[in-house]
Amino acid sequence: EDPKVRAESWQMLLGYLPPVKDRQPSGLQKKREEYEELRRRHYLPVEAEAPSIDVDAAGILRQIRLDIPRTSPGLPIFSHQRIQQLLERILFIWSVRHPASGYVQGINDLATPFVVVLLASELDCLPEEIDVDAAGDDAFEAVEAGSYWCLTKFLSDIQDHYTNGQPGIQQMVAKLREIVHRIDQKLYDHLEEQGLDFLQLSFRWMNCLLLREFPFPCVIRLWDTYISEPLEGFSSFHVYVCAVFLIYWSPQLKQMDYQQLMLFMQKLPTGRWRNQEIETLLAEAFVLKSLFHASPNHLNPR
């Protein structure tokens, strides 16, 4: 897998990198200058510890600083000070520019694939080979601006996941419930009998888009597909991925009581999963989507 091809593809599909090659240098330069202006306007007072920071912004910054050390603990690069500072700036600027949602836990996770993919491209190495100290300041600035704009575009489809009441997540969980009810009635009935609510078992899947359920290389492969989906459609496709993922464990889940179910769902045994398992998951999710998405009446139990 060529890290540069992946990074260019992601940035192009998310509208950050112009598709016309001749326009790419000027297009990137313009976006980077825009990001630098946002950084000066919104983050410079934070760096200067200015007394003018309002209470809401101070609260956002405090929560971000609590969450960043807990971000992707299995990946050493996210314990590096330069990466943590980069994440703080990206998350803070995004949050103050999107006051309808502000910062919500989980958004920190969603920034990580962009940072890894763009940094791997700058260093021309595989994600697992990244040496943060090998990246110069220019490369780091390019990664930071690109990650900010890609995250902004990516979140534009799911901002209602993070507004008051999180209606987007509620809708996705309801759809997941319908799909499982339709295609695995016995699992659905067992979960109901045990009193395990679908919001309990799938909230993290919806909030963090399965980032915490797989090894990071699998997440990157999953996001290859999400980003290549039409932007208005990837969050819909995600529900089908979650349905296939849940039903994958159906034989084990149907043998468990409530406490066993909760413990199992909190730490699913995916540590040895590789791209092959993710590609099977995606293929089955595409089949489900083709069956049900265009004809939602198929989801109604007969």
Side-chain angles (χ1 to χ4, degrees), residues 222-238:
L222 180 67
W223 278 40
D224 284 341
T225 300
Y226 282 3
I227 289 170
S228 65
E229 282 280 291
L231 194 60
E232 70 280 0
F234 92 85
S235 58
S236 173
F237 180 61
H238 177 69

